[in-house]
Each structure stands twice: as C-alpha cells, then as structure tokens.
Amino acid sequence: MSSNFPLNKSQLDNLIKDFPTPFYLYDEKAIRENMQKFTKAFSIFPVFREHFAVKACPNPYLLKILADEGCGADCSSMPELILSEMAGIKGKHVIFTSNETPASEYELAYKQGNIINLDDITHIEFLKKTLGKLPETICFRYNPGNEKTGCNSIIGKPEEAKYGLTRAQIIEAYKICKDEGVQHFGLHTMVASNELNPDFFVDTAKLVFELAAEVKEKTGVRIEFVDLGGGLGIPYKPEQKAVDYDVVAQGIRKEYDRVVVPSGLDPLEIYWECGRPITGPYGWLITTAIHQKHIYREYIAVDSCMADLMRPGMYGSYHEVTVSGKEDAPKTEVYDVVGSLCENCDKFAVQRPLPKIDMGDHVIIHDAGAHGRAMGFNYNGKLRCGEVLMRPDGTFKEIRRRETIDDLFATLNLEGVKDFH
Ligand SMILES: *Cc1c(COP(=O)(O)O)cnc(C)c1O
C-alpha cells in the first residue's frame, strides 16, 4: 500500500451520506504534492516535462490539476485528444503516442498542433497522404527488440511486442523525414510496465541516448527530445517500496552527461508519459459490504464489481484492502472479497487476512487511481460508478456521476424495438 487513505471513519461516513457507495475518491492535495516531487527530481535536466497518460485516468478535472502542475498529456485516441484540449493542454504539450491509428485521429492531432509519435516506418507515407504533407515535428517509437532484456510480464518481451520501429528502420525513418523537410525530431520508447527497479529506467535512458547519438552521426538529424514512456511502477503490495524519483533522475543524468553532452545533443529535452505513479496511489474505490457467505471459503461481497476495477480479475493484480474504522484491528479472518459479476474472477482480494467485516462496513480498495475506473466496462449490465475529488481545502466535488440505465441503453434504438416483429 503506497499511501494512506485520507479520511477517518466519521469523515468517510459523512461523505457517503452525500455520495452513496460505490465511488472512486481522489486526493487532489496528494496528487499535487507527488507531481511536485516528480518535477523537482527531474529539474536537474535543462528541459523536463511529464505528459500524463490520459488512459490511466481520463477525467478532465484531474487533467486540469496536472496541467496546473506543469504536465502535458499523452494520448492514444480521439476522445483522449479532445479531453486534453478541453482541459487546456494544448499544442506540443500533447504527445499522440498511438498505434494502428486511423487517419481521422492523425488529422485532429495535426490540427491541434500536437506532437505525433509514429509507431511504424510505413506511417510516414500514411501520414503524408493523410495530411498532404508531413508535420514540422515528428517523433518515432523505438522497439529495442532483444537489445533490452529484463522486461516484466505485463508488457512482455520487446521482440514480441507489436509497438515501434526496429533499430535499422528508425535510422532510415529519420533519413526519410529529413529529406522530406521535417524540422524537429523526437525519439520515444516504452518497454516497461509497473516496474519498481530504478536501474531499469536508467538502462532505458542509456539505450535511447546512445541511439540519439547514433542517429545524429549517421543521418545528421538532431533529436531535440526523448520520451522515456511510462512504466514507472507503484508499490501495490505492503512489502514493496515506491520508486525514488531522485535516484531515477540522478541515474539518468549520469548517462546524459556521459552520452548526450559529448555527442553535442545538449540541451536534450527529457519527457515522460507516466500514468500509474501520477494518480494511482491517490485514488481509492470505496465500497460497502452487502453480503457474506460461508461455503468452502469465507466470502465478503461488496456493492461494486470488476466492472469498476478490472485489474485484479484481469491480471490477478494485488490491491490493498482496508475496512474503514478497522485499520488497526487484528486480522483474524481470511476472506475472498468479491463483486457481483457472473464471473468467478470477479474478486478484489483472494484468501486475504482481514479484520472481521460486518455488513454495512465500508471496504476501501487502494491504489485504484490509475487504470481503475478507466478500464471499467458494462458487461453483465453493470453500471460503472462515479468519481469524487477531495479538494485541498477538504471539500468534495463529484467529477463524474455514476452511470444510469438510460446511459447503458443509449445506443439501442428503443423506439424501433416496439414495432419489431
Ligand atoms: C499505458 C501507456 C503509458 C502509461 O503507462 P503507466 O504504466 O500508466 O505509466 C504511457 N505511454 C504509452 C504509450 C502507454 O501505452
């Protein structure tokens, strides 16, 4: 568990009077403080920017808070591009890192002046045909294949990943774009997901810096920014430790001094497009215990389900679970904490030691602020819950209402069905 829940039992009980469970709660103050720490660590580079991965938590209120802390946005679909613009994140502060991209999405990113990050060498021609020319700035996503080892299981081995260009292709790609008159260049890679080892990111930066130097040597193209992707992990489990941003930044700075400065690429702008560490630890799914079963195991059922938080069911991910008011109570029981979906993987916790849970207790699922509500779905007719923001002054604002049955049926032609035989 990487952060403390900000409300005691009476404060949470009061909040639930206004916002019945289930809902997501986000802590604005904690999000801002974390972002300030992140920015401070990377201020040892001439230019640094975090582009928040919108897919992790696509709510324009949160995007505005992050923009206020100096963040840009990383998008991979048209709605994400629109949300970023809506939150006032504009132009080059938006990186469009998409793959298998439809022409209409490139058109919007170009119109908004966003940085287009191409996922393949053939997309140069595709983009040129789409826009009638190439943009002034182009970035390429590099797939290091078997050059990069030690990648963890969520993202898999780079040589098996569908993303990016090979080393040979990427040199060729910069050459083509230079000949076509493109003026500004970036280089992107993303090879980790939820990685907690700082050395991993230092190694990735080294790889990217060395490639940027090689590109300059072989093609004369001066890469102006590198985007180190996302993948910085968070400690979901109590025994794990948060990544020390200063250690990552200082490790990368060493490689910068060793590779970037002598190759004449300084000042090279350093970008990230992290989602998970930015909002993950500062969002919680708040539920209420509504049933308990004693069969071959002990079950506690809450009023939410996998439709609100898919990670445990989909990846077997661990999320810390606490019971409001029983934070310090002895863990005398072993429960499976489950939701209402007709799928047996709909379990927020499996065989988890917990205090004795009574019906009506508020069960809090931690570290749900990234890839949580965003991954929700409507299978089984489940309506997704809403989102509440706790402001720095301690007040609360509903930043997304829960779904209604009308929302769920909105895409059906209900008029037509009456006369349908
Ligand atoms: C998902 C994703 C991110 C964000 O990843 P986190 O693990 O949330 O930091 C960044 N960039 C790209 C291209 C992604 O697909």
Side-chain angles (χ1 to χ4, degrees):
M1 180 172 53
S2 47
S3 68
N4 288 326
F5 185 66
L7 302 178
N8 64 28
K9 181 164 168 27
S10 72
Q11 289 169 321
L12 182 62
D13 288 349
N14 274 334
L15 174 61
I16 289 171
K17 281 183 202 143
D18 292 335
F19 301 105
T21 61
F23 62 89
Y24 273 85
L25 178 69
Y26 304 100
D27 182 346
E28 176 177 342
K29 184 161 170 277
I31 290 171
R32 284 185 184 273
E33 284 171 359
N34 173 63
M35 198 54 235
Q36 287 158 11
K37 240 169 71 184
F38 194 89
T39 304
K40 186 157 178 282
F42 283 90
S43 64
I44 58 174
F45 292 95
V47 181
F48 155 77
R49 193 159 56 244
E50 150 69 3
H51 300 84
F52 178 65
V54 175
K55 76 165 190 250
C57 201
N59 189 304
Y61 289 87
L62 292 171
L63 295 181
K64 271 195 148 173
I65 290 167
L66 290 169
D68 189 49
E69 295 296 338
C71 291
D74 162 43
C75 301
S76 50
S77 68
M78 186 170 290
E80 290 180 0
L81 288 170
I82 294 168
L83 276 176
S84 300
E85 181 81 10
M86 198 186 286
I89 306 176
K90 295 188 190 285
K92 300 274 184 281
H93 283 228
V94 177
I95 295 186
F96 189 43
T97 300
S98 64
N99 62 93
E100 322 316 335
T101 311
S104 56
E105 300 192 357
Y106 280 137
E107 279 166 3
L108 180 64
Y110 179 71
K111 205 178 100 197
Q112 294 188 164
N114 305 145
I115 295 174
I116 294 177
N117 186 12
L118 292 181
D119 190 65
D120 193 57
I121 193 163
T122 61
H123 297 173
I124 302 171
E125 198 51 41
F126 185 89
L127 189 62
K128 194 175 161 191
K129 252 171 80 185
T130 302
L131 304 177
K133 61 181 167 191
L134 287 176
E136 257 182 37
T137 304
I138 282 191
C139 184
F140 288 105
R141 180 172 187 163
Y142 172 48
N143 180 334
N146 57 21
E147 277 183 80
K148 181 81 190 165
T149 53
C151 297
N152 61 27
S153 62
I154 294 189
I155 204 148
K157 294 181 187 164
E159 68 264 39
E160 292 172 8
K162 67 173 178 171
Y163 310 110
L165 291 75
T166 67
R167 197 174 186 97
Q169 285 174 339
I170 208 161
I171 305 253
E172 180 64 20
Y174 286 112
K175 248 189 237 154
I176 295 170
C177 288
K178 184 187 173 202
D179 293 344
E180 293 276 350
V182 175
Q183 315 229 326
H184 305 286
F185 295 92
L187 170 59
H188 166 275
T189 199
M190 162 137 181
V191 285
S193 183
N194 196 28
E195 177 62 56
L196 289 169
N197 180 0
D199 295 341
F200 189 94
F201 297 98
V202 177
D203 277 358
T204 302
K206 170 176 179 277
L207 196 78
V208 171
F209 291 161
E210 286 171 352
L211 178 56
E214 185 183 335
V215 167
K216 179 162 179 266
E217 203 181 289
K218 291 198 171 146
T219 68
V221 164
R222 184 182 177 281
I223 287 170
E224 294 173 30
F225 63 89
V226 294
D227 180 342
L228 299 170
L232 270 180
I234 60 171
Y236 286 102
K237 294 182 180 165
E239 68 271 20
Q240 292 174 325
K241 259 187 65 192
V243 178
D244 185 330
Y245 300 148
D246 287 312
V247 170
V248 176
Q250 284 157 18
I252 295 176
R253 178 71 217 199
K254 265 197 199 135
E255 293 302 322
Y256 186 97
D257 290 336
R258 195 181 64 80
V259 181
V260 174
V261 174
S263 65
L265 290 170
D266 179 47
L268 177 67
E269 303 186 14
I270 306 291
Y271 298 165
W272 283 97
E273 45 184 48
C274 290
R276 195 183 312 271
I278 307 302
T279 54
Y282 318 108
W284 299 264
L285 175 57
I286 315 291
T287 72
T288 301
I290 57 168
H291 292 292
Q292 70 191 118
K293 293 186 65 166
H294 319 278
I295 50 169
Y296 306 104
R297 286 182 179 182
E298 292 298 306
Y299 289 92
I300 293 291
V302 295
D303 57 357
S304 173
C305 72
M306 200 182 158
D308 289 323
L309 179 66
M310 177 151 69
R311 296 187 72 257
M314 180 156 152
Y315 306 119
S317 309
Y318 183 100
H319 281 261
E320 186 68 348
V321 171
T322 57
V323 185
S324 180
K326 297 182 177 175
E327 289 80 1
D328 300 318
K331 295 179 176 173
T332 54
E333 316 296 312
V334 174
Y335 293 121
D336 280 15
V337 178
V338 302
S340 58
L341 206 74
C342 298
E343 286 286 346
N344 195 44
C345 62
D346 184 16
K347 298 184 174 186
F348 292 115
V350 176
Q351 294 293 282
R352 184 77 58 87
L354 285 167
K356 181 169 187 324
I357 296 176
D358 297 301
M359 294 304 91
D361 277 356
H362 299 308
V363 176
I364 300 161
I365 299 158
H366 292 245
D367 299 308
H371 311 295
R373 174 63 176 71
M375 265 194 193
F377 57 95
N378 289 122
Y379 180 56
N380 221 173
K382 298 299 175 186
L383 303 173
R384 284 169 294 185
C385 70
E387 298 179 301
V388 175
L389 178 68
M390 180 169 141
R391 307 297 318 267
D393 65 2
T395 59
F396 297 94
K397 179 165 182 60
E398 185 176 53
I399 56 173
R400 187 194 299 270
R401 66 162 171 79
R402 70 185 50 212
E403 289 177 330
T404 64
I405 291 176
D406 284 345
D407 293 330
L408 187 65
F409 291 170
T411 50
L412 290 169
N413 176 359
L414 294 179
E415 278 309 302
V417 78
K418 291 185 196 134
D419 310 317
F420 182 75
H421 299 288

